[in-house]
């Protein structure tokens, strides 16, 4: 403000004393100086400055070497923003650059663990991350106790009060950060979420609560998120959690899209959000990964470096077996009678590949629904291939008989090491894959009413 008043005063004097022909020189932006002390650096992997593009890192410039183990970096003073320092080969250190001169000390072999000194922004950021992690740990412990006490209402009520204290602690911390450091308060907001037991009366189930509350303390429309790559981490966790609870693909995409709509389209923040969403889904081999990978490529192909883009395109190509419309990978395994059966043997029918096991409670609970749709649509061309993750043949066969599962079954009796389960990226059961008459994937993780609706679309 003082600089602006000073310039105004000088301009006024030029016009009143010397006339309007005098030109006022533009005042250059101040520079900030960063000193880096780093050992074990080589010319092959130079220490450089990078920018995160949502799916990878784009190199901005190599740092200037001023001594054996010392480097310097000078940047124009600007609003706080995250950049990264490191080598091509090693993890990079996220650093908030603003108007502070600072020092960084570490090793090129593990630069992510470097220390930053003389920087209030980076000290505050580090403290916020620690607080977010601690609050999440505390809440997870109490939520575990709350679920275990489901048959003890008094104990649940007591734990609910303890969760409310954690909720209040989070809000108080977030409010304090808004005063202390508004920029980093946005990161604290992304990591702030109230406990489900104290919100349960507003939602029909925990998934609805999670979907609605996860980003509630963050204004995703704010342009400040263009400078906060932590948005990537938030969307990654959000998408990965949704993909972990066996929701139908269309439900997962609907919930993710609801929050992406809040982020300005084609902005830097959208890069972070889309990149986080697709990586979270990819980690769970969720077929919705393909949608968001394609969306990222469409929006940012012209402004993303070729290396990052080619890597994403390669991952998308590898994931075709998990993407709706992709060719379902072959399954070849023994039936209970010891004969080999292939998925391709069932070609010409609509096939539900049902990954389950005799020991899986949710699977056994779902079986009556599967029996119901099988009896309704089998004669119309609907078949099921049960793939068991059992290890004991006797238990497998008893479960088939007890639940009345009259469709074809296969297993290699290797439990979670089941070859077909690994091929299809199955990490939890029940897990279903619906395949059309040509062997193309229609949908994944359809159960109960969602499966009935999809089969009705096909057969009715």
């Amino acid at each position: 403000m003082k600089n602006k008043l000073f310039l105004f005063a000088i301009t006024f004097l030029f016009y009143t004393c010397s006339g309007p022909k005098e030109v006022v020189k533009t005042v250059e932006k101040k520079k900030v100086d960063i000193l880096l002390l780093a050992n074990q650096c080589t010319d092959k992997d130079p220490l450089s400055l990078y920018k995160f593009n949502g799916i990878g890192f784009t190199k901005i410039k190599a740092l200037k070497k001023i001594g054996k183990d010392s480097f310097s970096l000078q940047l124009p003073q600007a609003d706080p923003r995250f950049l990264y320092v490191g080598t091509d080969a090693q993890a990079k250190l996220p650093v908030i650059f603003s108007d502070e001169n600072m020092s960084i000390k570490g090793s090129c072999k593990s630069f992510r663990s470097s220390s930053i000194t003389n920087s209030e922004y980076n000290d505050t950021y580090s403290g916020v991350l620690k607080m977010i992690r601690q609050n999440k740990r505390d809440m997870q412990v109490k939520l575990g106790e709350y679920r275990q006490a489901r048959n003890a209402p008094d104990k649940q009520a007591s734990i609910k009060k303890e969760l409310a204290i954690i909720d209040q602690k989070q809000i108080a911390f977030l409010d304090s950060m808004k005063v202390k450091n508004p920029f980093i308060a946005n990161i604290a907001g992304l990591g702030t979420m109230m406990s489900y037991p104290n919100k349960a009366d507003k939602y029909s189930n925990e998934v609805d609560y999670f979907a609605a509350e996860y980003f509630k303390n963050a204004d995703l429309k704010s342009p400040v998120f263009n400078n906060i790559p932590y948005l990537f981490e938030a969307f990654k966790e959000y998408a990965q959690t949704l993909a972990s609870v066996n929701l139908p693909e269309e439900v997962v995409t609907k919930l993710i899209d609801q929050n992406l709509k809040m982020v300005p389209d084609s902005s830097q923040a959208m890069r972070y959000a889309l990149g986080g969403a697709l990586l979270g889904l990819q980690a769970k081999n969720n077929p919705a990964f393909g949608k968001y990978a394609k969306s990222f490529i469409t929006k940012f192909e012209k402004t993303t470096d070729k290396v990052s883009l080619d890597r994403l395109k390669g991952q998308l190509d590898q994931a075709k077996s998990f993407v709706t419309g992709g060719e379902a990978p072959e399954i070849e395994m023994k039936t209970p009678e010891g004969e080999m059966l292939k998925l391709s043997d069932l070609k010409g029918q609509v096939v539900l590949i049902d990954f389950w096991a005799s020991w899986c409670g949710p699977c056994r609970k779902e079986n009556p629904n599967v029996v119901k749709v099988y009896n309704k649509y089998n004669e119309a061309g609907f078949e099921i291939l049960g793939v068991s993750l059992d290890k004991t043949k006797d238990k497998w066969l008893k479960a088939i008989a007890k639940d009345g599962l009259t469709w074809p079954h296969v297993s290699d009796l290797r439990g979670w090491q089941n070859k077909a389960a690994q091929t299809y990226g199955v990490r939890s059961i029940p897990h279903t894959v619906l395949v059309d008459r040509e062997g193309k994937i229609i949908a994944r993780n359809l159960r109960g009413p969602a499966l009935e609706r999809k089969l009705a679309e096909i057969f009715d």
Side-chain angles (χ1 to χ4, degrees):
M1 185 66 182
K2 289 181 179 179
N3 286 341
K4 288 183 178 178
L5 291 173
F6 177 75
L7 286 174
F8 176 81
I10 292 296
T11 303
F12 179 78
L13 288 173
F14 280 159
Y15 272 78
T16 54
C17 300
S18 304
K21 293 182 180 180
E22 292 290 334
V23 178
V24 180
K25 293 184 179 180
T26 302
V27 177
E28 293 185 6
K29 287 186 176 181
K30 292 182 179 180
K31 303 285 186 179
V32 293
D33 295 304
I34 298 94
L35 173 66
L36 298 99
L37 302 174
N39 56 29
Q40 296 184 297
C41 301
T42 67
D43 293 336
K44 183 179 179 181
D45 296 313
L47 202 58
S48 301
L49 185 68
Y50 296 84
K51 183 176 182 179
F52 183 56
N53 61 31
I55 56 172
F57 293 89
T58 301
K59 184 177 178 179
I60 299 175
K61 61 190 291 187
L63 272 58
K64 182 179 179 181
K65 193 169 186 178
I66 58 175
K68 181 183 177 183
D69 294 323
S70 57
F71 303 79
S72 69
L73 175 64
Q74 191 176 71
L75 294 172
Q77 199 175 83
D79 291 337
R81 75 279 192 204
F82 277 85
L83 295 173
Y84 296 76
V85 181
T87 68
D88 288 334
Q90 301 297 327
K92 300 165 185 65
L93 176 72
V95 182
I96 301 176
F97 293 95
S98 57
D99 57 355
E100 301 174 314
N101 296 326
M102 68 182 80
S103 299
I104 304 174
K105 185 177 181 180
S107 168
C108 283
K109 295 298 182 182
S110 55
F111 206 80
R112 182 65 188 258
S113 59
S114 299
S115 60
I116 304 172
T117 55
N118 301 321
S119 172
E120 184 178 346
Y121 270 105
N122 287 283
D123 287 346
T124 304
Y125 172 60
S126 178
V128 164
L129 291 186
K130 289 179 181 178
M131 181 63 74
I132 290 173
R133 287 192 289 265
Q134 185 61 54
N135 286 336
K136 285 185 177 181
R137 282 194 295 267
D138 292 345
M139 186 170 289
Q140 287 304 314
V141 169
K142 290 302 172 184
L143 285 173
E145 293 175 2
Y146 183 85
R147 294 186 183 104
Q148 290 177 358
R150 58 183 174 273
N151 296 321
D154 291 343
K155 187 173 182 179
Q156 275 199 333
S158 175
I159 297 171
K160 188 176 177 180
K161 290 180 181 178
E162 294 181 68
L163 284 167
I165 293 173
I166 297 175
D167 291 343
Q168 293 166 6
K169 178 183 176 183
Q170 289 189 89
I171 293 300
F173 179 72
L174 177 58
D175 289 342
S176 70
M177 285 308 308
K178 289 177 180 177
V179 175
K180 180 180 179 180
N181 193 311
F183 175 75
I184 297 178
N186 290 284
I187 299 171
L190 288 172
T192 301
M193 186 176 180
M194 302 297 96
S195 59
Y196 174 62
N198 287 295
K199 291 281 186 176
D201 58 329
K202 296 182 179 180
Y203 300 100
S204 58
N205 56 64
E206 196 164 353
V207 173
D208 288 347
Y209 142 81
F210 176 81
E213 294 282 336
Y214 187 85
F215 289 105
K216 193 167 185 177
N217 289 294
D219 180 9
L220 298 181
K221 294 180 180 178
S222 173
V224 73
F225 284 110
N226 289 321
N227 293 326
I228 298 179
Y230 191 81
L231 187 63
F232 168 92
E233 298 294 341
F235 267 90
K236 176 185 172 184
E237 181 179 72
Y238 181 74
Q240 192 165 336
T241 300
L242 293 176
S244 299
V245 292
N246 289 325
L247 294 173
E249 181 182 348
E250 61 266 27
V251 176
V252 172
T253 57
K254 177 184 177 182
L255 295 175
I256 293 175
D257 286 347
Q258 285 177 354
N259 289 292
L260 285 176
K261 286 178 182 177
M262 304 297 291
V263 183
D265 194 35
S266 300
S267 63
Q268 185 69 25
M270 179 59 81
R271 281 180 175 272
Y272 301 148
L274 264 181
L278 67 89
L279 189 64
L281 294 168
Q282 183 189 36
K284 293 296 182 179
N285 285 330
N286 190 283
F289 161 75
K291 172 185 175 178
Y292 297 105
K294 290 175 183 176
S295 179
F296 190 99
I297 292 169
T298 299
K299 290 178 183 293
F300 302 115
E301 185 168 21
K302 294 181 180 179
T303 56
T304 303
D305 68 275
K306 189 175 185 301
V307 173
S308 298
L309 205 62
D310 285 349
R311 182 170 58 249
L312 178 59
K313 289 179 178 179
Q315 292 168 346
L316 182 59
D317 189 58
Q318 291 174 2
K320 283 181 178 178
S321 295
F322 306 102
V323 176
T324 300
E327 192 79 28
E330 180 67 285
I331 295 175
E332 184 176 8
M333 211 166 287
K334 287 184 178 181
T335 67
E337 295 74 30
E339 298 176 355
M340 298 302 294
L341 177 65
K342 297 180 181 179
L343 173 62
S344 57
D345 293 338
L346 306 176
K347 201 166 187 179
Q349 302 176 86
V350 175
V351 180
L352 182 73
I353 307 171
D354 183 19
F355 293 93
W356 73 294
S358 65
W359 46 261
C360 169
C363 302
R364 304 293 295 275
K365 187 176 180 180
E366 177 66 12
N367 278 342
N369 297 323
V370 184
V371 171
K372 176 183 173 182
V373 294
Y374 184 71
N375 291 337
K376 184 174 181 179
Y377 294 109
N378 178 237
E379 292 185 1
F382 175 57
E383 189 57 271
I384 298 175
L385 178 61
V387 181
S388 171
L389 273 63
D390 276 285
K391 287 186 175 182
T392 306
K393 185 174 181 179
D394 183 54
K395 291 181 180 179
W396 173 36
L397 298 183
K398 284 182 179 179
I400 292 174
K402 184 174 182 179
D403 293 359
L405 313 182
T406 58
W407 48 81
H409 292 270
V410 294
S411 181
D412 57 13
L413 299 176
R414 296 174 59 194
W416 284 108
Q417 300 305 311
N418 179 282
K419 185 177 180 181
Q422 291 189 330
T423 299
Y424 279 80
V426 176
R427 291 184 171 85
S428 63
I429 53 175
H431 186 106
T432 62
V433 182
L434 190 63
V435 179
D436 69 13
R437 293 179 175 87
E438 302 302 317
K440 301 290 182 64
I441 295 174
I442 300 174
R444 293 176 71 124
N445 282 327
L446 294 178
R447 293 191 289 172
L451 177 59
E452 289 187 54
R453 286 194 297 269
K454 177 58 71 174
L455 293 178
E457 288 177 15
I458 298 171
F459 294 108
D460 291 347

